[in-house]
């Protein structure tokens, strides 16, 4: 009797393995959602809004809901063209759904932080393995600055999410076979870059472009560009970004000069906003914000450094190309803002997802083999030192009246 099983059917063992893998994906995502919903969702409505940022970014969506004008952002009736509207739209939806309160104002930012953790997990698991994904997600969500900013109203968390989405999709797409699968990842990249642009302007595509260009330059993979769906991707990008810019320009002729020239270009090239910090500011904030994982960043970078990078035929292995991309990602963002004349603490948030993945991969490969590796001892020593320092500062500054400082210190002390 002939078998009724199709010759193209997958073996039962393969189907069982796929089913088990799917279950672990859902279990891991559920674990991360529960953990970081509690961490990020707690205390959202327990304190008043801080000034000026939280008050500003709460008033703009409130006026959008009140006036019904979702094209022209306003604060106290005055046009406010410093930033695009995507984050205001998300807050407006939250206000219309949950009412006018601190919890509703801060909820979108907490959700962006949670989605960032899930994205870091998914990217690391896709690139490496399940344990690396879990370690990366846990690391990102417990970086002191990341966890603290998930409780604050700021555009930078949303920007970090969409930049991470764009660069993760590119990296995964680059490793996918050419054809429909790669095209879907590339279209997702253009979509995320467009949403990042609608969140905070030109850097939404400048930063991904800088990182991808640097990677292509070092790996000499220019012939791959033809598979990046440039014509259709740019059309998709334009379809998302252009409509609001055209509508707001038609309603407000003064928009373009103020938004593009003054707020995007001159703000970066000049100290027009009095935000030019000392040279140590960005490196110090970047490292301190990684607490309690700060001590693991050096071992993670050295462990993931591409092998044979000094040789003529470097970056021949796919793993080396991936490591290079994950190293260029935070390096380019750091260099971009360090050179610029405007620096603020949240600007470092887009650097953190790749650093979390690098730390996750380092721990995944080192801990099972040799838990006395120098990097582990070094990281734990730095962690203990920083915990003691932050706890001491927290005690000395316990009577501070600055709400954002209180929140940051509270989060860091809890993590310590």
């Amino acid at each position: 009797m002939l078998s009724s099983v199709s010759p193209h059917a997958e073996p039962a063992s393969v189907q069982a393995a796929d089913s088990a893998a799917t279950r672990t994906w859902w279990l891991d995502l559920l674990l991360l959602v529960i953990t970081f919903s509690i961490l990020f969702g707690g205390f959202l409505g327990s304190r008043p809004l801080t000034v000026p940022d939280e008050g500003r970014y709460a008033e703009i969506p409130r006026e959008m809901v009140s006036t019904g004008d979702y094209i022209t952002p306003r604060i106290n009736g005055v046009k406010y063209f410093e930033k695009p509207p995507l984050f205001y739209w998300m807050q407006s939806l939250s206000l219309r759904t949950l009412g006018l309160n601190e919890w509703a104002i801060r909820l979108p930012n907490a959700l962006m932080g949670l989605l960032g953790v899930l994205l870091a997990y998914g990217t690391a698991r896709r690139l490496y393995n399940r344990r690396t994904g879990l370690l990366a997600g846990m690391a990102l969500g417990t970086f002191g600055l990341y966890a603290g900013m998930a409780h604050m109203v700021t555009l930078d968390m949303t920007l970090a999410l969409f930049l991470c989405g764009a660069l993760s999709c590119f990296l995964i797409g680059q490793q996918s076979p050419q054809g429909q699968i790669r095209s879907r990842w590339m279209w997702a990249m253009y979509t995320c870059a467009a949403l990042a642009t609608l969140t905070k302007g030109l850097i939404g595509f400048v930063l991904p472009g800088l990182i991808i260009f640097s990677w292509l330059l070092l790996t000499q993979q220019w012939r791959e560009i033809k598979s990046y769906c440039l014509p259709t991707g740019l059309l998709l990008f334009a379809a998302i970004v252009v409509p609001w810019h055209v509508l707001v320009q038609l309603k407000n002729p003064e928009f373009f000069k103020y938004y593009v020239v003054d707020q995007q270009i001159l703000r970066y090239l000049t100290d027009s906003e009095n935000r030019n910090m000392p040279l140590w500011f960005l490196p110090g904030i970047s490292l301190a914000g990684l607490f309690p994982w700060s001590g693991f960043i050096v071992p993670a970078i050295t462990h993931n450094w591409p092998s044979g990078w000094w040789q003529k035929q470097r970056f021949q292995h796919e793993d080396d190309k991936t490591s290079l991309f994950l190293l260029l990602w935070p390096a380019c963002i750091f260099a971009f803002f360090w050179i610029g004349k405007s620096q603020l603490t949240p600007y470092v948030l887009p650097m953190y997802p790749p650093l979390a993945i690098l730390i996750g991969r380092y721990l995944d490969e080192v801990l099972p083999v040799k838990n006395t590796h120098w990097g582990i001892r070094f990281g734990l020593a730095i962690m203990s030192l920083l915990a003691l320092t932050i706890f001491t500062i927290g005690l000395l500054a316990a009577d501070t009246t600055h709400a954002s400082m209180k929140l940051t210190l509270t989060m860091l002390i809890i993590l310590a």
Side-chain angles (χ1 to χ4, degrees), residues 61-71 74 96 251:
R62 189 202 67 80
E63 293 192 28
M64 282 185 169
V65 173
S66 176
T67 64
D69 184 359
Y70 294 91
I71 301 299
R74 290 182 173 85
R96 290 181 66 91
K251 295 183 65 175

Side-chain angles (χ1 to χ4, degrees), residues 94-134:
S94 181
L95 291 179
R96 290 181 66 91
T97 305
L98 303 172
L100 182 60
N101 56 76
E102 289 87 351
W103 200 88
I105 286 291
R106 295 190 177 106
L107 179 61
N109 214 67
L111 289 175
M112 295 300 104
L114 173 60
L115 290 175
V117 169
L118 301 182
L119 182 57
Y121 160 78
T123 301
R125 176 163 179 170
R126 182 68 183 250
L127 295 175
Y128 299 113
N129 56 56
R130 180 189 182 189
R131 186 165 55 190
T132 299
L134 282 170

Side-chain angles (χ1 to χ4, degrees), residues 1 204 260 327 339 365 375 401 416:
M1 181 181 293
V260 176
L327 290 166
I339 294 171
E365 294 190 344
T401 57

Side-chain angles (χ1 to χ4, degrees), residues 43-368:
F43 310 110
L44 287 183
S46 63
R47 55 189 176 81
L49 299 176
T50 60
V51 292
D53 286 352
E54 286 199 308
R56 178 194 306 127
Y57 295 135
E59 177 61 17
I60 294 171
R62 189 202 67 80
E63 293 192 28
M64 282 185 169
V65 173
S66 176
T67 64
D69 184 359
Y70 294 91
I71 301 299
T72 303
R74 290 182 173 85
I75 182 167
N76 297 325
V78 179
K79 296 176 182 179
Y80 187 82
F81 294 137
E82 289 194 12
K83 302 294 186 296
L86 181 58
F87 185 68
Y88 308 145
W89 290 343
M90 291 191 295
Q91 286 181 293
S92 298
L93 177 61
S94 181
L95 291 179
R96 290 181 66 91
T97 305
L98 303 172
L100 182 60
N101 56 76
E102 289 87 351
W103 200 88
I105 286 291
R106 295 190 177 106
L107 179 61
N109 214 67
L111 289 175
M112 295 300 104
L114 173 60
L115 290 175
V117 169
L118 301 182
L119 182 57
Y121 160 78
T123 301
R125 176 163 179 170
R126 182 68 183 250
L127 295 175
Y128 299 113
N129 56 56
R130 180 189 182 189
R131 186 165 55 190
T132 299
L134 282 170
L135 287 168
M138 288 293 182
L140 179 61
T142 53
F143 287 162
L145 182 61
Y146 190 93
M149 296 309 298
H151 292 75
M152 303 287 290
V153 182
T154 172
L155 282 70
D156 296 278
M157 184 65 80
T158 304
L159 174 69
L161 171 68
F162 290 130
L163 287 179
C164 181
L167 293 165
S168 296
C169 288
F170 172 81
L171 186 54
I172 295 172
Q174 173 67 28
Q175 296 184 3
S176 302
Q178 293 191 26
Q180 194 65 25
I181 296 177
R182 179 176 291 191
S183 296
R184 288 171 182 170
W185 284 110
M186 294 302 166
W187 289 329
M189 174 194 70
Y190 291 109
T191 299
C192 289
L195 294 175
T197 304
L198 274 181
T199 300
K200 214 170 181 186
L202 302 181
I203 60 174
F205 64 85
V206 169
L207 288 177
L210 174 64
I211 295 163
I212 292 171
F213 175 82
S214 301
W215 184 76
L216 288 173
L217 181 65
L218 291 173
T219 57
Q220 294 295 303
Q221 294 194 105
W222 303 109
R223 285 179 293 183
E224 295 288 320
I225 292 180
K226 64 180 182 293
S227 67
Y228 294 169
C229 305
L230 278 173
T232 54
L234 291 176
L235 283 174
L236 177 60
F237 179 91
I240 297 171
V241 169
V242 169
W244 174 79
H245 287 84
V246 171
L247 289 173
V248 73
Q249 177 65 32
L250 291 175
K251 295 183 65 175
N252 308 276
E254 72 276 21
F255 165 76
F256 181 83
K257 179 182 181 300
Y258 183 80
Y259 171 72
V260 176
V261 178
D262 295 345
Q263 288 299 313
Q264 302 286 315
I265 299 176
L266 293 180
R267 185 170 181 168
Y268 178 79
L269 297 175
T270 68
D271 191 20
S272 59
E273 300 290 328
N274 296 317
R275 291 175 176 174
N276 190 18
M277 300 296 184
L279 290 176
W280 57 263
F281 175 78
L282 209 60
I285 287 296
S286 301
L287 286 174
L290 292 171
F291 176 83
W293 302 86
S294 306
F296 292 100
I297 194 60
V298 172
I301 290 174
T302 57
H303 181 80
N304 288 281
W305 199 268
S307 59
W309 60 272
W310 64 90
Q311 299 174 356
K312 185 177 181 180
Q313 299 298 324
R314 59 188 181 276
F315 310 130
Q316 294 301 302
H317 300 294
E318 197 65 40
D319 194 56
D320 286 339
K321 295 175 185 176
T322 301
S323 296
L324 177 66
F325 192 91
L326 292 172
L327 290 166
L328 283 172
W329 179 343
C332 289
I333 293 174
F334 177 85
F336 179 86
F337 287 117
W338 204 29
I339 294 171
K341 299 297 184 180
S342 179
Q343 297 176 9
L344 290 174
T345 298
Y347 288 4
V348 304
L349 286 178
M351 297 168 47
Y352 284 174
L355 294 179
I357 295 174
L358 291 172
I359 290 174
R361 188 192 182 207
Y362 165 70
L363 294 176
D364 171 65
E365 294 190 344
V366 170
L367 279 177

